[in-house]
Amino acid sequence: MLRQSMAGSNIDNDIVLIEQSSTAPQLEVPRRMNFILLGLCTEGSANYQLDAQEQNIGPGDFIIVSDHHVVDKLTTSPDSKGLYIALSIDFYHETIRNVSDLSTLFLYARNNPVLALKEQEQNTFKEYFRVVRSKMDDTSNHYRRDLVRTLLLAMFYDLSNVIYSNRMPSTGKRQMRSDAIFTDFIALLEANCRSERRVGWYADQLSITPKYLSESVKAVSHRTPNEWIDFYVIQELRIALKETTKTIKEIAEELKFPNQSFLGKYFKEHVGVSPKAYRKL
C-alpha cells in the first residue's frame, strides 16, 4: 500500500507525491518493490542497493525503480532533499494503456536506474511535480484523477525523449522488435523464474528461436537471457533467505532445484557465500 510506505499528496492507493526535506521516503528494506518510484535528488546525497548493486545519487540525479526490484541498505546524508512520485502498478498501466512506445523508459532503467539530468531536464520534472501536486490537492475537481493521469503521461513522454535523445546509442534505426521481445521476455521471466530456467522454454513461449531470443535480449540489455534468468532467480533466493524462515531445503523445493546441495552451489557461485552464511549477514 503506497500510503503505508510514503506520506504526501495522494490519490487513493494509486499515486503518492512527497517532497523530501530531511529524511528519505520510508521504505522497509530489504523489500521487493510493489510499486514504481520516480525521484529527483535536489540536494545532498543518498546510497542504496538495488538488486544487490550499489547505487549512489547526488543533486540532479533521477532514479527510476520499477516493481519486482529489491531495495536494501538505504542511507541518506543529513542535507538530502528530493522530489518523489510513487505509482501503483495498476495506475501506471492505466496511464499508458493506449501507448505502445513508452516501455523505453523502464527498459532503459533496468540497466540504468540512475540518470544524471541536465538543468533544463531537472526543471521540467520539477514543473511536472508542481502541477501534478496542485491537481492532486484540488479534491473538489471532479476530473482530478484523469487530469493527473494525463499529466503523468506527458511527463513519461518527456522522460522517454530525454533517453532517446541523449542516452540511447544511435544505431541508425530504432530496435522496436528487439525492445518488444525483451519486454515480453522479462514479463515471462518475472512470472515464471521460480520454476523455469531454460532459455528454450522462454523462446518457445514467444514463438521464436533461442538464438533470436538471445540476440534480441543482448542487443537491448547487453546481457544474455541466461544472465537475466540467473539474476531473477538469485533475487528470489535472496528474498526467501532474508524475509522468510523457510529452511533451505524448503526453498530449494519451491524454486524447483534438484536438491539443497545444488541450490547451495548455485547460490555461492553467484553471490560468493553459502545460503546459510548469507542468511546470517
Side-chain angles (χ1 to χ4, degrees):
M1 302 289 280
L2 292 182
R3 283 188 291 188
Q4 293 175 341
S5 301
M6 307 177 77
S9 300
N10 69 80
I11 294 180
D12 302 323
N13 290 316
D14 287 322
I15 174 172
V16 174
L17 268 64
I18 181 169
E19 185 168 358
Q20 173 204 343
S21 58
S22 56
T23 58
Q26 296 302 302
L27 299 176
E28 297 175 4
V29 293
R31 65 163 295 173
R32 184 185 303 282
M33 296 290 285
N34 59 2
F35 57 90
I36 291 172
L37 180 67
L38 309 173
L40 174 68
C41 177
T42 55
E43 294 182 32
S45 62
N47 177 276
Y48 62 100
Q49 286 190 357
L50 184 66
D51 297 331
Q53 298 297 313
E54 185 172 349
Q55 305 293 336
N56 297 287
I57 63 173
D61 285 339
F62 190 83
I63 65 169
I64 304 172
V65 184
S66 55
D67 60 316
H68 294 288
H69 289 292
V70 178
V71 178
D72 195 3
K73 298 180 180 177
L74 171 65
T75 59
T76 61
S77 64
D79 59 342
S80 178
K81 294 183 180 180
L83 306 174
Y84 296 91
I85 300 177
L87 305 170
S88 72
I89 306 306
D90 288 342
F91 189 78
Y92 167 70
H93 288 293
E94 179 186 334
T95 300
I96 67 165
R97 64 180 182 273
N98 295 321
V99 183
S100 61
D101 194 31
L102 279 185
S103 61
T104 304
L105 180 63
F106 293 96
L107 285 174
Y108 185 87
R110 291 185 186 277
N111 291 318
N112 303 271
V114 179
L115 309 176
L117 298 187
K118 299 175 183 176
E119 184 176 358
Q120 182 55 49
E121 295 163 352
Q122 295 174 45
N123 291 336
T124 296
F125 177 75
K126 291 176 183 178
E127 184 62 16
Y128 275 117
F129 187 93
R130 184 189 66 78
V131 176
V132 169
R133 183 170 58 183
S134 71
K135 297 303 178 184
M136 289 176 63
D137 290 342
D138 184 9
T139 57
S140 65
N141 193 318
H142 178 72
Y143 299 101
R144 180 173 66 130
R145 185 185 182 90
D146 293 324
L147 281 169
V148 168
R149 190 173 61 241
T150 301
L151 287 166
L152 288 174
L153 181 58
M155 184 187 74
F156 287 151
Y157 271 120
D158 266 330
L159 289 172
S160 294
N161 183 62
V162 168
I163 291 172
Y164 268 129
S165 300
N166 303 314
R167 275 79 181 183
M168 298 290 278
S170 176
T171 60
K173 63 180 180 179
R174 294 165 70 181
Q175 298 177 312
M176 296 306 296
R177 176 59 176 158
S178 293
D179 284 347
I181 289 173
F182 177 64
T183 301
D184 292 342
F185 168 66
I186 291 297
L188 277 171
L189 183 55
E190 289 176 345
N192 297 281
C193 68
R194 295 173 65 85
S195 58
E196 290 292 345
R197 291 187 280 278
R198 294 174 295 118
V199 174
W201 184 88
Y202 289 97
D204 286 343
Q205 301 305 304
L206 297 171
S207 300
I208 58 178
T209 66
K211 181 180 179 181
Y212 188 38
L213 173 61
S214 295
E215 291 174 347
S216 298
V217 168
K218 194 164 186 179
V220 173
S221 70
H222 307 294
R223 295 187 191 182
T224 67
N226 274 321
E227 288 173 327
W228 277 109
I229 291 169
D230 288 339
F231 173 80
Y232 272 89
V233 173
I234 288 298
Q235 295 314 307
E236 290 293 331
L237 291 173
R238 288 179 189 274
I239 290 294
L241 290 167
K242 286 291 190 179
E243 295 190 355
T244 76
T245 58
K246 295 174 182 176
T247 67
I248 296 173
K249 182 180 179 180
E250 289 173 331
I251 295 171
E253 291 174 351
E254 284 191 0
L255 270 71
K256 311 300 182 184
F257 280 89
N259 51 56
Q260 179 178 336
S261 176
F262 190 94
L263 182 153
K265 292 178 181 177
Y266 177 87
F267 190 85
K268 188 169 184 178
E269 177 185 347
H270 290 87
V271 180
V273 297
S274 69
K276 185 177 180 180
Y278 179 79
R279 179 165 257 173
K280 293 179 179 179
L281 292 177

